[in-house]
Amino acid sequence: MSTALFTDHYELTMVEAAMASGTADRRCVFELFPRRLPEGRRYGVVAGTGRVLDAVESFRFTDEDVSFLKRTGVVGPHMAEWLSHYRFSGSIHGYAEGDLYFPGSPLLTVEGTFAEACVLETVLLSIYNHDSAIASAASRMVMMAEGRPIIEMGSRRTHEESAVAAARAAWIAGFGPTSNLAAGIRYGVPTSGTAAHAFTLLHDTEDDAFRAQLAAYGEETTLLVDTYDIDKAVRTAVDLTEGRLGAVRIDSGDLSIVARQVRDLLDDLGATKTRIIVTSDLDEWQIAALRGAPVDGFGVGTSLVTGSGAPTCSFVYKLVARATSTDPDAELLPVAKKSSHKNTVGGRKYAVRRIGSGGIATAEVVGVGQEPTVEADDRNLIVPLIVNGEVVGREPLAAARARHQAAIAELPISGRRISRGDQAIPTVMVKQGDDGTDTVLGASLS
């Protein structure tokens, strides 16, 4: 499917006007970056990179697209002809998927003509803002679960396509399987699911419902025990499996109290290996509150797919450098906005994560105009994604998942707290002076 119309109208009007002024073919550098983290958050998670690579490859204006744009007066004949042949031929570099980000991190650097880079703004922002918001929330939940698995089950609480992307982003951040089958076939995210209350209500008795599920899926299945009376349901489940039931799920009540009661009952009945899974509108705060409860796993839906209160990362896409003419070898001049509270720093950015003793990160160092001076243990954050129009950065989703785990391990202890606080490490913007040493530009972001 073409992604070309995932574009705001004004992007096409800017390009058409630039064509008229003779500036559309000037080489430019755009950057996608966060001004800030959601209030109280200590880090963010990069997600959506793989989807962006697919989207740029599919960014083609079909005959139907071009006909619509001409018919509705969005573009004129010359612009329509240009769109019909559009192919991104520039280069994109950025943070690898699964890594962490902080305010000012240059997550994507898009270099090409103004025309071909400008029209990608909306599709890049929509994917990164959504997927990174989900992954950032998911990462906090995984951290609070302290090794206990979390099932993603938010598909019914968001747009059908957002649900698939959310399952992918959650998997990168460390979630277990998803209930969403489309995420399974598209991205290889493992899927799971057992039964809802409707299945129990369908049968004449709870005993009949449990027998039917056990007959179909065996004793390792998970039985939902809070449709009627939890105590009775647990006893029935244990009796039917002679204590060998895989797990029970609780979806209501004070989960901390109910989980303890169910654990005591299971143990008293000899079902000491039966696990307890809890659901019911969980978020990272509630998962943290359940750390002392006898809970073996969690199911999270609504809070995850809405970013747990931060459904967007507020990423922006800004022009930071442009050529002085359409000559491919023309000098690139840094450009910047001076608007109050929305100012930008001109010039292409490069970034490394400064790693201190014990492998713990101490700063996000962003070089303006050229790469910052690298110290022995610094980790380069920028990787090639698209070079001269060709995708070079595609990787298995498992690589992003492993990268996220490694990046989390670099955080200082303060960055792993659930409580509100400043970003885990400061962002330091530097520019190399005439003597070859880095000079900090203004106050560090923190």
Side-chain angles (χ1 to χ4, degrees), residues 217-280:
Y217 300 109
E219 294 175 344
E220 281 301 307
T221 192
T222 300
L223 296 179
L224 181 59
V225 295
D226 69 337
T227 305
Y228 303 118
D229 178 84
I230 292 177
D231 186 280
K232 182 180 178 182
V234 170
R235 291 179 183 276
T236 299
V238 172
D239 181 58
L240 290 174
T241 61
E242 297 181 349
R244 295 186 298 270
L245 179 64
V248 296
R249 178 162 75 95
I250 306 166
D251 189 50
S252 59
D254 186 319
L255 296 177
S256 179
I257 294 174
V258 175
R260 286 185 173 85
Q261 292 172 339
V262 169
R263 181 74 270 160
D264 288 343
L265 180 56
L266 287 169
D267 291 347
D268 288 345
L269 296 173
T272 57
K273 295 183 179 180
T274 298
R275 294 169 292 113
I276 297 175
I277 310 299
V278 298
T279 53
S280 187

Side-chain angles (χ1 to χ4, degrees), residues 289-435:
L290 289 167
R291 282 183 290 192
V295 172
D296 300 290
F298 307 90
V300 181
T302 303
S303 185
L304 174 78
V305 298
T306 56
S308 196
T312 177
C313 300
S314 300
F315 294 153
V316 294
Y317 184 79
K318 300 298 179 184
L319 181 66
V320 296
R322 54 92 175 166
T324 54
S325 73
T326 57
D327 184 334
D329 298 320
E331 180 185 4
L332 278 174
L333 294 180
V335 294
K337 286 177 55 179
K338 301 300 182 184
S339 311
S340 177
H341 303 297
K342 288 191 174 183
N343 60 301
T344 58
V345 177
R348 183 173 184 159
K349 315 298 188 306
Y350 304 84
V352 298
R353 189 151 299 148
R354 188 132 293 161
I355 306 297
S357 60
I360 300 302
T362 61
E364 190 93 336
V365 183
V366 177
V368 179
Q370 60 188 103
E371 296 183 24
T373 302
V374 177
E375 297 183 1
D377 295 324
D378 286 356
R379 181 164 66 84
N380 182 38
L381 298 171
I382 307 297
V383 300
L385 300 171
I386 296 177
V387 176
N388 297 326
E390 297 296 323
V391 172
V392 298
R394 189 172 277 115
E395 63 181 6
L397 202 60
R401 183 177 169 96
R403 182 179 296 112
H404 179 67
Q405 293 173 340
I408 286 292
E410 292 175 344
L411 281 177
I413 293 297
S414 61
R416 308 180 199 188
R417 293 173 182 155
I418 190 65
S419 57
R420 294 176 179 272
D422 295 331
Q423 64 187 78
I425 57 175
T427 306
V428 182
M429 288 201 172
V430 299
K431 187 175 180 66
Q432 198 172 91
D434 295 335
D435 60 356

Side-chain angles (χ1 to χ4, degrees), residues 125-147:
L125 284 173
S126 62
I127 292 173
Y128 266 82
N129 267 313
H130 175 268
D131 290 22
S132 295
I134 303 305
S136 297
S139 178
R140 285 159 55 89
M141 295 173 189
V142 170
M143 195 176 292
M144 292 306 104
E146 296 182 327

